[in-house]
Amino acid sequence: MALMDIRAWEISCTDASAESRDFRESIFSQGNGYMGVRGFRPDAHGLHPAHRSTFYAGFFEYIRPGITDMVNQPDTMYTELLIDGADADALTILDYRQSLSLRDGLLTWHYTLLDGRGRRMRVEIERLIDMADLHTAALRYTICPLDSETVVTLRTGIDGSVENLPISDNQMQDDTAFLRLLRVEQAQAGCDGGYLLATTRTSRRASVACYRVMDDRRAKRQGHRDGNRAYTQLEVSLPVGAAWRVEKTIAVACYRDGDDPYALATSRLRDCTGFDAMHTRSAAAWEALWAKADVQVEGNELWQGAVRYNIFQLIQSTPRTDEHASIGARGLMHGRYKGCYFWDTEVFMLPLFLYTMPEVAKNLLLYRYHTLEDAKESARRFSVGGARYPWMASDTGFEQCETWDTGCCEVHITADIAYAMGRYVEVTGDTDFLFRYAAEVYVETARYWQERFNYCVEDGQYHLLFVKGPDEYCGVTTNDFFTVYLARHNLLLALDAVQRLRREAPERFAALVKKTGLTDAEMAIWKRMTEHMVLHQDERTKVWQQDDTFARLEPVDVAAYKDSDEPLYCKLSFDRLQRLQVLKQPAVLMCMAMFPEAFSYEEIDAAWRYYEPKTLHDSTLSFGIHALIAARLDRQEEAIRYFEKAVLLDLRDVMRNTGREGVHLAALGAAWQALVLGFGGVRVGAGGVVVQSHLPKTIDSLSFRLQANQKTYSAHVSANAAVQLRQQ
Ligand code: BGC
C-alpha cells in the first residue's frame, strides 16, 4: 500500500509502484457530482478498460431484465506519450510525486522519465474536473528534456472502447464477465480537437464527449480515428531545457441533459478558454463549497487533512443540483454495487449536507420522491400495499439487489427514507417540503408497514417477520429492533404530518386525500400499531434486544476469530456467521445514534457494554457510528480509536479493499458525524441548535459552520469544553 502523506489541504504520495496502483487510483479519484473519474495517470496503460473508469451521475443501463449497471463512459483522458518514438509508459519513472489539492480539486503528477540511454525528461501532468461548469474537465502536460534534444509525440483524444465489469452483490464472488454497454456511433478528430458520440446497447441512451487541444510550440498536428478511438497527434522536437505545454479542454453531456447533448457539449467546450481559466472558476466554486462545509481541526494535522479529504470526496460524489440522482455507495469512483444507492445516502452521508448545504439534502430526498411511483409498483410486486423502496436503487425505484435474503428482507430502507425526510423538515423548518412531498411519502410508506407487519391474535401485537436488520449477520429474523423502531417512527411521521396538514394547510390536506385516498380508518390502524409493536428491553440490564433470536445465538470469543480488520466473511461462510452471537455492524447502537434524545445515558451505555464487544466491524459503516456513540458517552479512548479507523478508512486502506472497491462514502459520512455530532456534540431539534463539547484530548479545537432553521451559525469548540455558538 502506498503511504499517503496527509496535510491540512493536500494528499500526496511518492510511490509509483504497480502494487499500489489500484489504491492510488481510488484515492486520487476526482469528480464534480456530474462526472467522476478514477485517479489513473492519463498516459498509463495496461489496466483493463473497465478499471479506467468515468461515470456520470444517474447514467445506468440494463444488463439483464430489470437489473442495471452504472455505465462506464468514454475515456476523455485517453493519452499516449512517446519519447523519440518509444512509449513513455515503458520507461523508468524517477522522483515521482502525485498530489491532490483539497482546496481546489487539482490533481498533479510530477516525475522524471529515464530512457535506456540514460536521458531524462521532466513531466508534469495536471488534471481538473470542473466544479463550476459540471460538464467540463481539463488536462495539461508540461514536458521538458533535461539531457538532449528529443522528439516528443503526444496523442490525446477520446477512447470509446470502454467496458463495464458488473460486480455481483455476493462479495465472495470473483467477477470476470466484462460487458460492452456502449456502442460508438460517430467519432472524429482533427488537428485541434474532436468528438465522440455513443449510445447504450439496450435503451439507446446517448453519451457525447468532445475536446480541444492547444499547445505553445506549434507542434505538427494530425487527427486520427482508430476503431473506437478519435485523437489528435502532436509532435515537436524539443531542445534541452525547453518546456512544451499541451492542454486539452473537454466537455461531456448525455441523454439526461435533454434532447441535444451534442449541442450542449459543444457549446460548453466553446465557452472554455483554457486550463487556467477553468482552474480559476473551479477553484472559486470549491472555495464557496468549503466556506459552508469546512471543519477546522486545530492541533492535529493528520485529522485535519483526513477530515477534509472525507468532506471533499462526499462533495465531489454528490449530484448537488440534480433531483433525479443520488450518491452511490462508492460514488462516481467505482462500479462496485453496480453504482447503486443504499441507506448509505440518507443515514450516513445526508447529515453533512443537511447541516451545511440543506438545498443539496433536499435534492437527494427529492430523488426518492420522484421514484415513489416505482416504489408503489414495487410494493404491489411484493403483494403488499403502499410504497416499498428498494434496498439497492439506480435510476428507478425498483429493487436492484439480487441476493434473496438482503433484497427481500432488508426492508428498513423504506423507513430510513422517511426518517431522513423527517430530519430534513425538523432541521430546516421547510414545511413546504413536508406538505408537498414528504407527507405523501409518509402516507404511502406507512401503508407498506401496515401490511408488512403481521398481527398476532394471541398476544395482540404486531410482529415483523422475515426481516434482516442493519446487522446483516442476523440472518433472516423476527422483530428486528432497528427496523421495528424505524417503522414505528415512519408511522408516527405519517400521523403527525397528516395532523399538521389538516390544521395548517386544509387545501393541501384535501389534495393529499384526493391523491392517495387516505382514510381515517387506516390512520387509526397506524396509531394502534405504534402502540403494539414488539421491542424488548431487559429490565435488569436495560439492554434493548436486537431481535427475537439474538440471545439464543452461539456466544463466541470475538478475538479468537478476528485478529485484523479484514472482514470475517472472507474466512467463514454466511451460514456459519449468522448462527454466531456476533454483529457485522451496529443495529441497536445505530438506532441510538439516529435518535439520541430517545434513549437515556444508562440505556446507551448498557447497549454499548453488551453489543460493542460482539461487533466485528465487517462493514466499513461500523467504525464511525461507534466513534459517534463513544464520543457521546465520553468514552474518549474508544472514541478516538474508532474515529481514526473511520476517518482514515480509505487513506490508510483499513479494510484492504479501497483499491479494489473504491472509496467508501458512507464510512466517510459517518466519520463526519462522529466529529461534528459526536466530538462537537451538535444537536438540532425542536429546541434549536445545541453544541455540547465532547472534545478529545488529541485536538485543541474544532470550528465549523451550520445551517438550521434557515439561519447560519458558526461554532467553535475548544479544550475544557468551552463552546462558542454564534448566529451569523
Ligand atoms: C453493509 C450495508 C451497506 C452496504 C453498502 C454492506 O456491506 O452491510 O449496511 O448499506 O454495504 O455500503
Side-chain angles (χ1 to χ4, degrees), residues 171 329-330 337 342-344 391 410 470 472 584-585 619 621:
Q171 277 170 306
R330 301 292 181 267
Y337 293 121
F342 292 71
W343 71 317
D344 301 33
W391 173 241
E410 196 154 355
E472 293 178 342
K584 181 183 182 194
Q585 65 204 84
S619 159
L621 280 58

Side-chain angles (χ1 to χ4, degrees), residues 93 154 400:
I93 288 184
L154 192 100
Q400 296 298 314

Side-chain angles (χ1 to χ4, degrees), residues 71-88:
V71 178
N72 187 12
Q73 300 293 334
D75 176 12
T76 56
M77 299 294 157
Y78 162 73
T79 301
E80 282 182 57
L81 180 62
L82 305 170
I83 309 294
D84 276 335
D87 183 355

